[in-house]
Amino acid sequence: MGTNQPFRTSASWDQAIAMLDLTFPLAEGSHESVAAYLVHFEHLAIIMADGSVTALRHPAQFIEAGGNPEAPQSILLEQHGIQVEIEPATRRVSSTGGNARHRLQLLTHLD
């Protein structure tokens, strides 16, 4: 696996959330409860499912967002050489009635 290659694993979404919470913690709450990500004056604002707003505990981990700042298509985070791209879900509820999940991709090789 190299830079910009998809991260393929049998890890569940719960394991991905645990990795996000450990490596890219929020000031309040868990990535599990994130409803939306948006960029406000070059800072990442994170909207929780209950409507509250939080941020990354370490704001410098936010590198960039792709697409519309109010509804980015991708969020790039970095911590000590580990880069993660989050593709936010474009809808809150799936057709099965459950919460839509964001897509997560690890971009950096782990030794």
Side-chain angles (χ1 to χ4, degrees):
M1 180 180 350
T3 303
N4 295 326
Q5 297 299 311
F7 182 54
R8 292 182 180 88
T9 180
S10 61
S12 70
W13 181 246
D14 291 338
Q15 290 171 312
I17 291 296
M19 186 276 294
L20 283 174
D21 286 343
L22 179 66
T23 310
F24 304 101
L26 302 180
E28 294 182 25
S30 167
H31 284 275
E32 181 179 26
S33 300
V34 172
Y37 297 87
L38 61 92
V39 179
H40 183 69
F41 293 104
E42 298 183 25
H43 295 279
L44 184 62
I46 301 166
I47 313 301
M48 306 302 282
D50 66 3
S52 64
V53 179
T54 191
L56 291 171
R57 184 176 300 156
H58 309 289
Q61 292 178 320
F62 170 61
I63 304 302
E64 67 182 2
N68 181 344
E70 293 180 8
Q73 294 174 327
S74 63
I75 303 292
L76 182 62
L77 306 176
E78 182 175 22
Q79 168 74 16
H80 301 301
I82 297 173
Q83 292 183 341
V84 170
E85 180 183 53
I86 300 170
E87 293 180 5
T90 57
R91 54 193 164 76
R92 289 188 180 200
V93 179
S94 71
S95 59
T96 60
N99 289 334
R101 291 194 171 154
H102 309 293
R103 183 175 177 270
L104 180 68
Q105 181 171 316
L106 182 65
L107 300 175
T108 305
H109 177 74
L110 294 175
D111 291 324

XYZ file of all heavy atoms in Angstrom:
849
model
N 0.860 -1.166 0.000
C 0.000 0.000 0.000
C 0.903 1.225 0.000
O 1.852 1.316 0.738
C -0.887 -0.005 1.246
C -1.792 1.167 1.304
S -2.905 1.286 2.740
C -2.794 -0.237 3.574
N 0.592 2.195 -0.828
C 1.364 3.423 -0.897
C 0.472 4.634 -0.799
O -0.727 4.536 -0.582
N 1.063 5.772 -0.976
C 0.325 7.022 -0.893
C -0.833 7.035 -1.879
O -0.709 6.594 -3.007
C 1.276 8.199 -1.188
O 2.347 8.130 -0.256
C 0.570 9.529 -1.051
N -1.956 7.532 -1.427
C -3.177 7.659 -2.231
C -3.748 6.333 -2.717
O -4.451 6.287 -3.713
C -2.971 8.605 -3.412
C -2.703 10.016 -2.948
O -3.247 10.445 -1.936
N -1.868 10.723 -3.670
N -3.452 5.270 -2.019
C -4.044 3.978 -2.341
C -5.160 3.696 -1.348
O -5.059 4.050 -0.183
C -2.991 2.865 -2.260
C -1.877 3.027 -3.267
C -2.387 3.003 -4.685
O -3.143 2.113 -5.061
N -1.994 3.976 -5.483
N -6.235 3.076 -1.780
C -7.331 2.769 -0.854
C -6.857 1.885 0.290
O -5.995 1.028 0.109
C -8.352 2.030 -1.718
C -7.976 2.353 -3.121
C -6.497 2.622 -3.129
N -7.420 2.097 1.447
C -7.125 1.295 2.626
C -8.118 0.145 2.621
O -9.301 0.337 2.807
C -7.278 2.160 3.878
C -6.948 1.466 5.157
C -5.739 0.827 5.328
C -7.838 1.477 6.211
C -5.419 0.207 6.520
C -7.534 0.869 7.407
C -6.315 0.232 7.558
N -7.631 -1.058 2.388
C -8.503 -2.231 2.338
C -8.282 -3.047 3.596
O -7.171 -3.449 3.901
C -8.191 -3.057 1.102
C -8.580 -2.353 -0.180
C -8.300 -3.223 -1.390
N -8.675 -2.540 -2.601
C -7.879 -1.719 -3.282
N -6.667 -1.478 -2.859
N -8.309 -1.127 -4.381
N -9.353 -3.288 4.281
C -9.261 -4.052 5.516
C -10.605 -4.674 5.821
O -11.621 -4.281 5.258
C -8.815 -3.143 6.688
O -8.744 -3.940 7.859
C -9.762 -2.000 6.912
N -10.609 -5.602 6.732
C -11.871 -6.176 7.175
C -12.400 -5.420 8.396
O -13.386 -5.812 8.988
C -11.677 -7.655 7.520
O -10.733 -7.773 8.561
N -11.706 -4.335 8.761
C -12.118 -3.560 9.939
C -13.539 -3.031 9.754
O -13.932 -2.612 8.676
C -11.160 -2.399 10.155
N -14.277 -3.071 10.839
C -15.647 -2.575 10.794
C -15.661 -1.058 10.927
O -14.656 -0.436 11.266
C -16.456 -3.191 11.938
O -16.024 -2.648 13.173
N -16.823 -0.462 10.657
C -16.980 0.980 10.820
C -16.705 1.372 12.272
O -16.126 2.418 12.530
C -18.371 1.404 10.374
C -18.579 2.882 10.505
C -19.427 3.516 11.344
C -17.911 3.921 9.778
N -19.331 4.880 11.192
C -18.406 5.150 10.245
C -16.924 3.922 8.791
C -17.955 6.376 9.751
C -16.480 5.149 8.299
C -16.996 6.347 8.770
N -17.073 0.539 13.235
C -16.807 0.838 14.642
C -15.307 0.974 14.899
O -14.871 1.828 15.666
C -17.389 -0.233 15.552
C -18.917 -0.232 15.563
O -19.517 0.815 15.228
O -19.492 -1.271 15.905
N -14.506 0.122 14.256
C -13.056 0.212 14.404
C -12.528 1.484 13.749
O -11.603 2.115 14.267
C -12.375 -1.017 13.809
C -12.621 -2.271 14.629
C -12.131 -3.511 13.925
O -12.408 -3.713 12.746
N -11.415 -4.357 14.642
N -13.103 1.872 12.626
C -12.692 3.114 11.968
C -13.015 4.318 12.855
O -12.203 5.236 12.988
C -13.388 3.241 10.610
N -14.190 4.322 13.466
C -14.574 5.395 14.380
C -13.612 5.443 15.563
O -13.165 6.519 15.975
C -16.022 5.206 14.880
C -17.014 5.439 13.743
C -16.331 6.115 16.065
C -17.036 6.832 13.190
N -13.259 4.296 16.116
C -12.318 4.251 17.234
C -10.971 4.837 16.826
O -10.353 5.586 17.596
C -12.159 2.818 17.741
N -10.513 4.535 15.603
C -9.251 5.090 15.114
C -9.360 6.603 14.955
O -8.467 7.348 15.361
C -8.871 4.436 13.778
C -7.492 4.839 13.256
S -7.383 6.388 12.333
C -8.342 6.015 10.891
N -10.470 7.089 14.397
C -10.664 8.538 14.259
C -10.689 9.216 15.621
O -10.052 10.254 15.816
C -11.964 8.843 13.507
C -11.962 8.660 12.004
C -13.364 8.862 11.451
C -10.978 9.600 11.335
N -11.430 8.647 16.564
C -11.528 9.244 17.895
C -10.182 9.261 18.616
O -9.901 10.187 19.377
C -12.570 8.513 18.743
C -13.994 8.833 18.337
O -14.223 9.842 17.637
O -14.894 8.068 18.723
N -9.353 8.260 18.384
C -8.040 8.199 19.018
C -7.040 9.132 18.338
O -6.319 9.875 19.001
C -7.516 6.756 18.985
C -6.132 6.540 19.589
C -6.170 6.800 21.093
C -5.663 5.126 19.312
N -7.006 9.118 17.019
C -5.997 9.860 16.267
C -6.405 11.303 15.984
O -5.557 12.196 15.965
C -5.691 9.138 14.940
O -5.423 7.759 15.229
C -4.491 9.737 14.243
N -7.693 11.526 15.751
C -8.208 12.854 15.417
C -9.380 13.192 16.332
O -10.523 13.335 15.882
C -8.656 12.902 13.943
C -7.565 12.500 12.985
C -7.535 11.233 12.423
C -6.554 13.390 12.649
C -6.528 10.854 11.541
C -5.539 13.021 11.772
C -5.528 11.753 11.216
N -9.138 13.291 17.645
C -10.247 13.490 18.585
C -10.961 14.825 18.388
O -10.359 15.809 17.943
C -9.558 13.443 19.953
C -8.154 13.852 19.680
C -7.835 13.323 18.310
N -12.236 14.813 18.715
C -13.039 16.031 18.676
C -12.924 16.747 20.019
O -12.641 16.123 21.046
C -14.499 15.688 18.400
C -14.788 14.922 17.109
C -16.288 14.653 16.980
C -14.260 15.663 15.897
N -13.180 18.045 20.008
C -13.191 18.803 21.255
C -14.260 18.248 22.182
O -14.075 18.176 23.394
C -13.412 20.284 20.974
N -15.399 17.847 21.605
C -16.490 17.228 22.362
C -17.143 16.163 21.494
O -17.367 16.367 20.318
C -17.541 18.270 22.737
C -17.044 19.307 23.710
C -18.120 20.294 24.102
O -19.311 19.950 24.027
O -17.747 21.407 24.481
N -17.441 15.028 22.084
C -18.156 13.976 21.366
C -17.251 13.048 20.587
O -16.033 13.050 20.722
N -17.909 12.230 19.738
C -17.243 11.204 18.952
C -17.569 11.384 17.469
O -18.639 11.876 17.118
C -17.741 9.823 19.404
O -17.372 8.821 18.489
N -16.650 10.948 16.626
C -16.906 10.972 15.183
C -18.137 10.134 14.832
O -18.760 10.349 13.799
C -15.691 10.454 14.409
C -14.567 11.441 14.339
N -14.493 12.419 13.382
C -13.467 11.594 15.124
C -13.395 13.128 13.563
N -12.762 12.650 14.613
N -18.494 9.207 15.691
C -19.676 8.375 15.464
C -20.950 9.216 15.355
O -21.870 8.858 14.627
C -19.823 7.370 16.606
C -21.012 6.453 16.457
C -21.099 5.453 17.597
O -20.597 5.740 18.697
O -21.668 4.379 17.352
N -20.993 10.342 16.057
C -22.196 11.185 16.103
C -22.158 12.358 15.137
O -23.026 13.226 15.198
C -22.388 11.711 17.527
O -22.531 10.633 18.427
N -21.177 12.402 14.244
C -21.065 13.523 13.309
C -22.129 13.406 12.224
O -22.261 12.377 11.575
C -19.656 13.581 12.677
C -19.604 14.617 11.566
C -18.609 13.869 13.738
N -22.893 14.481 12.058
C -23.897 14.536 10.997
C -23.335 15.216 9.752
O -23.690 14.863 8.636
C -25.135 15.289 11.485
N -22.439 16.211 9.941
C -21.897 16.945 8.800
C -20.588 17.623 9.174
O -20.341 17.927 10.339
C -22.899 17.995 8.332
N -19.774 17.819 8.150
C -18.539 18.584 8.286
C -18.686 19.800 7.379
O -19.213 19.684 6.274
C -17.335 17.773 7.806
C -17.047 16.516 8.593
C -17.652 15.310 8.282
C -16.139 16.540 9.645
C -17.374 14.159 8.995
C -15.851 15.387 10.364
C -16.469 14.204 10.033
O -16.192 13.066 10.738
N -18.215 20.957 7.836
C -18.191 22.120 6.960
C -16.991 22.973 7.296
O -16.392 22.854 8.357
C -19.493 22.924 7.029
C -19.919 23.545 8.342
C -19.391 24.953 8.456
C -21.436 23.570 8.407
N -16.599 23.822 6.355
C -15.445 24.691 6.539
C -15.958 26.108 6.738
O -16.758 26.607 5.948
C -14.495 24.608 5.326
C -13.301 25.534 5.519
C -14.037 23.170 5.125
N -15.488 26.727 7.812
C -15.894 28.090 8.145
C -14.621 28.902 8.385
O -13.907 28.648 9.353
C -16.795 28.076 9.385
C -17.326 29.408 9.763
N -18.259 30.068 9.001
C -17.050 30.209 10.805
C -18.557 31.208 9.581
N -17.820 31.319 10.673
N -14.334 29.851 7.487
C -13.124 30.666 7.586
C -11.873 29.810 7.760
O -11.062 30.030 8.659
C -13.242 31.690 8.723
C -14.270 32.746 8.470
C -15.492 32.697 9.123
C -14.033 33.764 7.563
C -16.458 33.662 8.888
C -14.987 34.742 7.324
C -16.199 34.691 7.986
N -11.736 28.797 6.915
C -10.588 27.896 6.863
C -10.419 27.020 8.109
O -9.355 26.464 8.364
C -9.296 28.665 6.568
C -9.341 29.364 5.221
C -8.048 30.067 4.869
O -6.981 29.671 5.386
O -8.106 31.010 4.062
N -11.474 26.889 8.898
C -11.483 26.009 10.060
C -12.566 24.949 9.860
O -13.609 25.227 9.288
C -11.764 26.790 11.348
C -10.685 27.768 11.670
N -9.509 27.404 12.279
C -10.603 29.099 11.458
C -8.745 28.461 12.428
N -9.383 29.515 11.942
N -12.315 23.758 10.353
C -13.274 22.671 10.231
C -14.302 22.771 11.351
O -13.953 22.733 12.529
C -12.557 21.324 10.289
C -13.424 20.090 10.071
C -14.046 20.106 8.673
C -12.601 18.830 10.271
N -15.551 22.939 10.982
C -16.663 22.924 11.933
C -17.366 21.586 11.771
O -17.604 21.121 10.660
C -17.624 24.070 11.665
N -17.696 20.969 12.889
C -18.276 19.637 12.879
C -19.653 19.712 13.529
O -19.780 20.096 14.685
C -17.353 18.645 13.612
C -15.989 18.634 12.908
C -17.977 17.263 13.672
C -14.883 17.984 13.677
N -20.672 19.364 12.752
C -22.050 19.402 13.220
C -22.414 18.015 13.724
O -22.324 17.030 12.988
C -23.024 19.815 12.090
C -22.515 21.049 11.330
C -24.436 20.005 12.648
C -22.309 22.270 12.169
N -22.834 17.952 14.966
C -23.195 16.678 15.575
C -24.669 16.357 15.289
O -25.443 17.237 14.924
C -22.934 16.723 17.081
C -21.508 17.128 17.443
S -20.236 16.056 16.739
C -20.338 14.668 17.858
N -25.035 15.114 15.464
C -26.407 14.672 15.185
C -27.435 15.420 16.020
O -28.566 15.630 15.578
C -26.533 13.168 15.426
N -27.058 15.882 17.224
C -27.997 16.621 18.073
C -28.060 18.107 17.733
O -28.747 18.872 18.399
C -27.666 16.426 19.555
C -26.329 17.045 19.976
O -25.646 17.684 19.137
O -25.951 16.879 21.149
N -27.320 18.530 16.699
C -27.329 19.925 16.255
C -26.241 20.785 16.865
O -26.037 21.916 16.437
N -25.519 20.267 17.846
C -24.424 21.035 18.439
C -23.248 21.094 17.460
O -23.159 20.299 16.525
C -23.994 20.432 19.776
O -23.477 19.122 19.583
N -22.373 22.051 17.683
C -21.206 22.241 16.819
C -19.949 22.055 17.654
O -19.858 22.545 18.779
C -21.210 23.646 16.186
C -19.981 23.847 15.300
C -22.478 23.873 15.387
N -18.986 21.340 17.108
C -17.703 21.149 17.774
C -16.602 21.298 16.737
O -16.853 21.685 15.599
C -17.657 19.784 18.508
O -16.502 19.749 19.363
C -17.639 18.612 17.545
N -15.385 20.989 17.126
C -14.220 21.084 16.250
C -13.268 19.960 16.617
O -13.514 19.200 17.552
C -13.540 22.439 16.449
N -12.182 19.871 15.885
C -11.128 18.939 16.268
C -10.463 19.458 17.536
O -10.300 20.672 17.712
C -10.076 18.837 15.158
C -10.507 18.163 13.864
C -9.431 18.348 12.806
C -10.798 16.694 14.087
N -10.069 18.568 18.421
C -9.351 18.972 19.632
C -8.046 19.665 19.248
O -7.596 20.595 19.913
C -9.064 17.767 20.512
C -8.399 18.160 21.835
C -8.204 16.992 22.760
N -9.491 16.378 23.088
C -9.639 15.124 23.476
N -8.584 14.336 23.579
N -10.830 14.640 23.756
N -7.441 19.205 18.141
C -6.197 19.791 17.631
C -6.490 20.326 16.223
O -6.305 19.597 15.234
C -5.088 18.745 17.598
C -4.925 18.015 18.898
N -4.402 18.612 20.025
C -5.257 16.753 19.255
C -4.401 17.751 21.017
N -4.924 16.601 20.586
N -6.941 21.579 16.107
C -7.383 22.122 14.817
C -6.346 22.045 13.699
O -6.711 21.962 12.526
C -7.724 23.575 15.144
C -8.034 23.575 16.598
C -7.138 22.530 17.198
N -5.063 22.023 14.037
C -4.020 21.957 13.009
C -4.024 20.627 12.262
O -3.386 20.510 11.210
C -2.650 22.204 13.636
N -4.745 19.621 12.750
C -4.843 18.344 12.048
C -5.669 18.462 10.770
O -5.565 17.619 9.888
C -5.459 17.277 12.953
C -4.567 16.883 14.108
C -5.239 15.864 15.009
O -6.425 15.935 15.287
N -4.455 14.896 15.459
N -6.494 19.485 10.668
C -7.278 19.714 9.455
C -6.353 20.313 8.408
O -5.769 21.374 8.610
C -8.451 20.658 9.742
C -9.161 21.137 8.510
C -9.784 20.244 7.661
C -9.205 22.483 8.195
C -10.440 20.674 6.512
C -9.854 22.934 7.059
C -10.471 22.029 6.212
N -6.206 19.638 7.280
C -5.311 20.084 6.215
C -6.083 20.834 5.134
O -5.724 21.950 4.783
C -4.548 18.888 5.589
C -3.788 18.118 6.676
C -3.621 19.358 4.477
C -2.782 18.941 7.458
N -7.121 20.216 4.595
C -7.895 20.869 3.544
C -9.208 20.141 3.319
O -9.398 19.023 3.776
C -7.121 20.936 2.232
C -6.868 19.585 1.585
C -6.070 19.672 0.308
O -5.667 20.782 -0.094
O -5.844 18.621 -0.302
N -10.081 20.820 2.600
C -11.364 20.232 2.201
C -11.519 20.433 0.703
O -11.073 21.440 0.154
C -12.511 20.901 2.950
N -12.145 19.470 0.070
C -12.408 19.573 -1.358
C -13.883 19.804 -1.601
O -14.735 19.264 -0.905
N -14.182 20.636 -2.579
C -15.580 20.908 -2.915
C -16.097 22.151 -2.225
O -15.338 22.993 -1.761
N -17.392 22.240 -2.115
C -18.074 23.370 -1.505
C -17.784 23.410 -0.002
O -18.013 22.418 0.685
C -19.588 23.218 -1.753
C -20.411 24.339 -1.185
O -19.966 25.113 -0.348
N -21.633 24.436 -1.656
N -17.313 24.546 0.549
C -17.013 24.616 1.974
C -18.208 24.289 2.878
O -18.031 23.780 3.978
C -16.565 26.065 2.192
C -16.102 26.518 0.855
C -16.954 25.781 -0.148
N -19.415 24.571 2.399
C -20.604 24.296 3.209
C -21.034 22.830 3.140
O -21.828 22.387 3.965
C -21.749 25.209 2.792
C -21.463 26.667 3.119
C -22.581 27.588 2.711
O -23.660 27.105 2.301
O -22.367 28.798 2.795
N -20.525 22.112 2.162
C -20.816 20.682 2.025
C -19.636 20.025 1.309
O -19.749 19.600 0.166
C -22.113 20.471 1.248
N -18.475 19.960 1.980
C -17.287 19.428 1.315
C -17.461 17.983 0.861
O -18.140 17.205 1.519
C -16.194 19.526 2.375
C -16.796 20.103 3.582
C -18.242 20.325 3.354
N -16.824 17.681 -0.270
C -16.840 16.315 -0.778
C -15.761 15.475 -0.108
O -15.836 14.253 -0.109
C -16.630 16.313 -2.285
C -17.770 16.961 -3.027
C -17.467 17.075 -4.507
O -16.324 17.263 -4.910
N -18.497 16.962 -5.318
N -14.742 16.141 0.447
C -13.684 15.415 1.142
C -13.061 16.315 2.210
O -13.013 17.525 2.063
C -12.606 14.945 0.166
O -11.968 16.055 -0.433
N -12.600 15.677 3.275
C -11.928 16.338 4.386
C -10.606 15.605 4.577
O -10.602 14.383 4.768
C -12.742 16.227 5.693
C -14.151 16.795 5.541
C -11.991 16.841 6.862
C -14.214 18.273 5.356
N -9.484 16.309 4.530
C -8.180 15.683 4.724
C -7.644 16.061 6.104
O -7.528 17.238 6.446
C -7.194 16.134 3.648
C -5.795 15.508 3.720
C -5.861 13.993 3.531
C -4.882 16.134 2.681
N -7.323 15.029 6.902
C -6.758 15.199 8.229
C -5.388 14.537 8.258
O -5.156 13.547 7.560
C -7.653 14.539 9.291
C -9.120 14.947 9.321
C -9.876 14.128 10.360
C -9.264 16.434 9.586
N -4.476 15.079 9.071
C -3.140 14.490 9.168
C -2.629 14.573 10.601
O -2.806 15.580 11.280
C -2.154 15.191 8.245
C -0.774 14.567 8.282
C 0.193 15.171 7.280
O -0.026 16.310 6.839
O 1.174 14.497 6.949
N -1.989 13.478 11.036
C -1.383 13.395 12.367
C -0.116 12.568 12.248
O -0.188 11.374 11.952
C -2.358 12.751 13.360
C -1.768 12.341 14.682
C -1.472 13.522 15.591
O -1.954 14.610 15.382
N -0.673 13.291 16.596
N 1.046 13.152 12.469
C 2.330 12.439 12.454
C 2.490 11.542 11.224
O 2.867 10.377 11.340
C 2.517 11.608 13.725
C 2.478 12.414 14.983
N 3.343 13.445 15.258
C 1.650 12.348 16.047
C 3.063 13.968 16.418
N 2.030 13.325 16.927
N 2.182 12.053 10.056
C 2.355 11.303 8.825
C 1.190 10.411 8.445
O 1.162 9.870 7.348
N 0.232 10.228 9.326
C -0.970 9.465 8.991
C -1.976 10.442 8.394
O -2.363 11.413 9.035
C -1.579 8.780 10.227
C -0.606 7.758 10.804
C -2.918 8.126 9.870
C -1.060 7.160 12.111
N -2.348 10.200 7.164
C -3.342 11.027 6.499
C -4.612 10.225 6.295
O -4.563 9.078 5.855
C -2.841 11.522 5.143
C -1.712 12.501 5.239
C -1.307 13.020 3.876
O -1.598 12.426 2.848
N -0.622 14.138 3.876
N -5.726 10.839 6.632
C -7.024 10.211 6.467
C -7.912 11.159 5.697
O -7.950 12.357 5.979
C -7.658 9.890 7.845
C -9.094 9.455 7.700
C -6.846 8.823 8.557
N -8.593 10.620 4.708
C -9.580 11.401 3.960
C -10.966 10.902 4.346
O -11.232 9.704 4.295
C -9.377 11.239 2.458
C -10.377 12.038 1.651
C -10.222 11.827 0.174
O -10.215 10.660 -0.283
O -10.083 12.829 -0.536
N -11.806 11.824 4.736
C -13.195 11.506 5.043
C -14.045 12.082 3.925
O -13.913 13.251 3.577
C -13.627 12.122 6.388
C -12.763 11.590 7.523
C -15.109 11.861 6.645
C -12.965 12.307 8.836
N -14.876 11.253 3.350
C -15.858 11.722 2.378
C -17.198 11.740 3.095
O -17.794 10.685 3.342
C -15.898 10.811 1.155
C -14.623 10.873 0.343
C -14.654 9.965 -0.864
O -15.697 9.335 -1.143
O -13.613 9.876 -1.538
N -17.651 12.943 3.489
C -18.893 13.026 4.260
C -20.081 12.461 3.494
O -20.183 12.609 2.276
C -19.069 14.524 4.495
C -17.694 15.091 4.344
C -17.026 14.240 3.297
N -20.957 11.811 4.233
C -22.198 11.311 3.646
C -23.000 12.499 3.141
O -23.030 13.554 3.775
C -22.990 10.532 4.681
N -23.648 12.343 2.021
C -24.413 13.448 1.447
C -25.850 13.455 1.920
O -26.605 14.349 1.609
C -24.401 13.373 -0.096
O -24.917 12.101 -0.484
C -22.994 13.550 -0.622
N -26.211 12.460 2.689
C -27.565 12.417 3.237
C -27.484 11.913 4.662
O -26.562 11.200 5.028
C -28.460 11.517 2.394
C -27.893 10.137 2.197
C -28.643 9.386 1.108
N -27.880 8.244 0.678
C -27.755 7.119 1.338
N -28.334 6.945 2.482
N -27.036 6.122 0.857
N -28.431 12.292 5.478
C -28.394 11.917 6.891
C -28.990 10.543 7.146
O -28.590 9.844 8.036
C -29.129 12.944 7.738
C -28.368 14.226 7.832
C -29.005 15.117 8.802
N -28.248 16.348 8.873
C -28.304 17.176 9.845
N -29.091 16.948 10.857
N -27.595 18.278 9.845
N -29.983 10.161 6.362
C -30.657 8.894 6.609
C -30.612 8.063 5.341
O -30.892 8.547 4.260
C -32.124 9.126 7.034
C -32.827 7.820 7.265
C -32.174 9.991 8.286
N -30.246 6.824 5.479
C -30.189 5.941 4.320
C -31.584 5.452 3.958
O -32.543 5.628 4.707
C -29.272 4.752 4.622
O -29.897 3.898 5.553
N -31.693 4.791 2.833
C -32.989 4.275 2.385
C -33.525 3.197 3.315
O -34.710 2.920 3.341
C -32.866 3.722 0.963
O -31.905 2.689 0.943
N -32.642 2.610 4.120
C -33.088 1.586 5.071
C -33.476 2.197 6.408
O -33.828 1.484 7.335
C -31.979 0.543 5.301
O -30.820 1.211 5.822
C -31.628 -0.191 4.026
N -33.397 3.527 6.504
C -33.805 4.192 7.734
C -32.679 4.445 8.711
O -32.831 5.165 9.673
N -31.508 3.870 8.466
C -30.378 4.092 9.358
C -29.598 5.331 8.963
O -29.823 5.916 7.908
N -28.676 5.740 9.814
C -27.848 6.895 9.505
C -26.900 6.573 8.366
O -26.309 5.502 8.326
C -27.022 7.321 10.724
C -27.885 7.949 11.791
O -28.934 8.497 11.491
N -27.439 7.864 13.028
N -26.747 7.507 7.435
C -25.776 7.340 6.366
C -24.387 7.441 6.981
O -24.173 8.227 7.894
C -25.985 8.413 5.308
N -23.453 6.670 6.509
C -22.107 6.693 7.067
C -21.170 7.420 6.133
O -21.295 7.341 4.918
C -21.611 5.267 7.294
C -22.387 4.613 8.412
C -21.702 3.383 8.870
N -22.347 2.903 10.084
C -22.333 1.661 10.466
N -21.726 0.762 9.748
N -22.929 1.303 11.581
N -20.217 8.116 6.737
C -19.187 8.783 5.972
C -18.224 7.715 5.459
O -18.093 6.650 6.046
C -18.453 9.789 6.857
C -19.370 10.722 7.584
N -20.130 11.674 6.930
C -19.666 10.846 8.891
C -20.840 12.339 7.818
N -20.584 11.853 9.010
N -17.536 8.009 4.374
C -16.544 7.087 3.827
C -15.180 7.518 4.333
O -14.864 8.694 4.368
C -16.583 7.139 2.301
C -15.638 6.177 1.633
C -15.836 6.225 0.121
N -14.884 5.357 -0.510
C -13.667 5.743 -0.904
N -13.273 6.986 -0.723
N -12.852 4.897 -1.479
N -14.357 6.572 4.727
C -13.041 6.845 5.282
C -11.991 6.149 4.447
O -12.154 4.988 4.078
C -12.983 6.324 6.722
C -11.687 6.502 7.481
C -11.438 7.973 7.768
C -11.749 5.718 8.778
N -10.906 6.865 4.137
C -9.821 6.276 3.364
C -8.498 6.660 4.004
O -8.250 7.833 4.271
C -9.874 6.785 1.924
C -8.808 6.207 1.028
C -9.032 6.571 -0.412
O -10.136 6.505 -0.910
N -7.997 6.986 -1.087
N -7.655 5.689 4.292
C -6.318 5.929 4.799
C -5.408 6.153 3.600
O -5.376 5.338 2.691
C -5.850 4.722 5.616
C -4.474 4.828 6.259
C -4.476 5.930 7.323
C -4.079 3.494 6.874
N -4.674 7.269 3.606
C -3.869 7.633 2.439
C -2.386 7.388 2.617
O -1.626 7.519 1.693
C -4.089 9.112 2.095
C -5.531 9.495 1.769
C -5.642 10.993 1.578
C -6.016 8.765 0.541
N -1.957 7.085 3.813
C -0.529 6.971 4.092
C -0.178 5.571 4.557
O -0.894 4.990 5.357
C -0.113 8.000 5.174
O -0.504 9.282 4.731
C 1.370 7.992 5.414
N 0.905 5.066 4.084
C 1.380 3.732 4.448
C 1.739 3.670 5.921
O 2.382 4.554 6.459
C 2.596 3.378 3.604
C 3.198 2.064 3.942
N 2.617 0.875 3.588
C 4.321 1.742 4.612
C 3.365 -0.120 4.016
N 4.401 0.385 4.640
N 1.311 2.619 6.597
C 1.672 2.381 7.991
C 2.679 1.239 8.045
O 2.443 0.190 7.473
C 0.449 2.008 8.826
C -0.597 3.075 9.001
C -1.811 2.509 9.746
C -0.037 4.270 9.745
N 3.778 1.438 8.733
C 4.765 0.368 8.888
C 4.505 -0.437 10.138
O 4.028 0.033 11.099
C 6.187 0.948 8.958
C 6.600 1.522 7.611
O 6.215 0.953 6.574
O 7.332 2.524 7.617
